[in-house]
Coordinates of all heavy atoms in Angstrom, one line a residue:
M39 N 20.8 -31.4 31.6 CA 21.2 -31.3 30.2 C 20.2 -30.4 29.5 O 19.0 -30.4 29.7 CB 21.0 -32.7 29.6 CG 21.5 -32.8 28.1 SD 23.3 -32.6 28.0 CE 23.4 -32.7 26.2
L40 N 20.8 -29.6 28.6 CA 20.1 -28.6 27.8 C 20.6 -28.6 26.4 O 21.9 -28.6 26.2 CB 20.1 -27.3 28.4 CG 19.2 -26.9 29.6 CD1 19.3 -25.5 29.9 CD2 17.7 -27.1 29.1
T41 N 19.8 -28.7 25.4 CA 20.2 -28.6 24.0 C 19.3 -27.5 23.4 O 18.1 -27.7 23.3 CB 20.0 -30.0 23.2 OG1 20.8 -30.9 23.9 CG2 20.4 -29.8 21.8
L42 N 20.0 -26.5 22.9 CA 19.2 -25.3 22.5 C 19.9 -24.8 21.2 O 21.1 -24.9 21.0 CB 19.1 -24.2 23.5 CG 18.5 -24.5 24.8 CD1 18.7 -23.4 25.8 CD2 17.0 -24.7 24.6
P43 N 19.1 -24.1 20.3 CA 19.7 -23.5 19.1 C 20.4 -22.1 19.4 O 20.1 -21.5 20.4 CB 18.5 -23.3 18.1 CG 17.3 -23.1 19.1 CD 17.7 -23.9 20.3
A44 N 21.3 -21.8 18.5 CA 22.0 -20.5 18.7 C 21.0 -19.3 18.5 O 20.1 -19.4 17.9 CB 23.1 -20.3 17.7
A48 N 19.7 -19.9 27.7 CA 19.6 -21.1 28.5 C 19.5 -20.7 29.9 O 20.1 -19.7 30.4 CB 20.9 -22.0 28.3
F50 N 19.6 -22.0 33.9 CA 20.0 -23.1 35.0 C 19.7 -22.5 36.3 O 19.6 -21.3 36.6 CB 21.5 -23.4 34.9 CG 21.9 -24.2 33.7 CD1 22.4 -23.5 32.6 CD2 21.7 -25.5 33.6 CE1 22.8 -24.2 31.4 CE2 22.1 -26.2 32.5 CZ 22.6 -25.6 31.3
L111 N 22.9 -17.2 22.9 CA 23.8 -18.3 22.8 C 24.5 -18.4 21.5 O 24.0 -18.1 20.5 CB 22.9 -19.6 22.9 CG 22.3 -19.8 24.4 CD1 21.3 -21.0 24.3 CD2 23.4 -20.0 25.4
H112 N 25.7 -18.9 21.6 CA 26.5 -19.3 20.4 C 27.0 -20.6 20.6 O 27.0 -21.3 21.7 CB 27.7 -18.3 20.3 CG 27.3 -16.8 20.1 ND1 27.0 -16.4 18.8 CD2 27.2 -15.8 20.9 CE1 26.7 -15.1 18.9 NE2 26.8 -14.7 20.1
E113 N 27.6 -21.2 19.5 CA 28.0 -22.6 19.6 C 29.2 -22.7 20.6 O 29.3 -23.8 21.1 CB 28.4 -23.1 18.2 CG 27.2 -23.2 17.2 CD 27.6 -23.7 15.9 OE1 28.6 -24.5 15.7 OE2 26.8 -23.5 14.8
D115 N 29.3 -21.6 23.3 CA 28.9 -21.6 24.7 C 28.6 -23.1 25.2 O 28.3 -23.2 26.4 CB 27.5 -20.8 24.8 CG 27.8 -19.3 24.7 OD1 28.8 -18.8 25.1 OD2 26.9 -18.6 24.1
S116 N 28.7 -23.9 24.3 CA 28.5 -25.4 24.7 C 29.6 -25.8 25.7 O 30.8 -25.4 25.7 CB 28.6 -26.3 23.4 OG 27.7 -25.9 22.5
G117 N 29.2 -26.6 26.7 CA 30.2 -27.0 27.7 C 29.5 -27.5 29.0 O 28.2 -27.6 29.0
S118 N 30.3 -27.6 30.0 CA 29.7 -28.1 31.3 C 29.7 -26.9 32.3 O 30.6 -26.1 32.4 CB 30.5 -29.2 32.0 OG 30.4 -30.4 31.1
Y119 N 28.6 -26.7 33.0 CA 28.4 -25.6 33.9 C 28.1 -26.2 35.4 O 27.5 -27.2 35.5 CB 27.3 -24.7 33.5 CG 27.5 -23.9 32.2 CD1 27.3 -24.5 30.9 CD2 28.0 -22.7 32.2 CE1 27.6 -23.8 29.7 CE2 28.3 -22.0 31.0 CZ 28.1 -22.6 29.8 OH 28.3 -21.9 28.7
S138 N 26.2 -29.7 34.8 CA 25.1 -29.8 33.9 C 25.7 -29.5 32.5 O 26.7 -28.6 32.4 CB 24.1 -28.7 34.2 OG 23.3 -29.1 35.4
H139 N 25.2 -30.1 31.4 CA 25.8 -30.0 30.1 C 24.9 -29.1 29.2 O 23.6 -29.3 29.2 CB 26.0 -31.3 29.5 CG 26.9 -32.2 30.3 ND1 28.3 -32.0 30.2 CD2 26.7 -33.2 31.2 CE1 28.9 -32.9 31.0 NE2 27.9 -33.6 31.6
L140 N 25.5 -28.2 28.5 CA 24.7 -27.3 27.6 C 25.3 -27.6 26.2 O 26.6 -27.6 25.9 CB 24.9 -25.9 27.9 CG 24.4 -24.9 26.9 CD1 22.8 -25.0 26.7 CD2 24.7 -23.4 27.3
V141 N 24.4 -27.9 25.2 CA 24.8 -28.1 23.8 C 24.1 -27.0 22.9 O 22.7 -27.0 23.0 CB 24.5 -29.5 23.3 CG1 24.8 -29.7 21.8 CG2 25.2 -30.6 24.1
V142 N 24.8 -26.2 22.3 CA 24.2 -25.2 21.4 C 24.4 -25.6 20.0 O 25.5 -25.8 19.5 CB 24.9 -23.8 21.7 CG1 24.3 -22.7 20.8 CG2 24.8 -23.4 23.2
T143 N 23.2 -25.8 19.3 CA 23.3 -26.2 17.9 C 23.2 -25.0 17.0 O 22.8 -23.9 17.5 CB 22.2 -27.2 17.6 OG1 20.9 -26.5 17.9 CG2 22.2 -28.4 18.5
A144 N 23.6 -25.1 15.8 CA 23.4 -24.0 14.8 C 22.0 -23.7 14.6 O 21.1 -24.5 14.6 CB 24.0 -24.5 13.5

Side-chain angles (χ1 to χ4, degrees):
M39 182 71 181
L40 279 180
T41 302
L42 297 170
F50 289 99
L111 291 175
H112 295 281
E113 293 185 26
D115 291 326
S116 300
S118 297
Y119 293 84
S138 295
H139 299 281
L140 172 64
V141 178
V142 180
T143 60

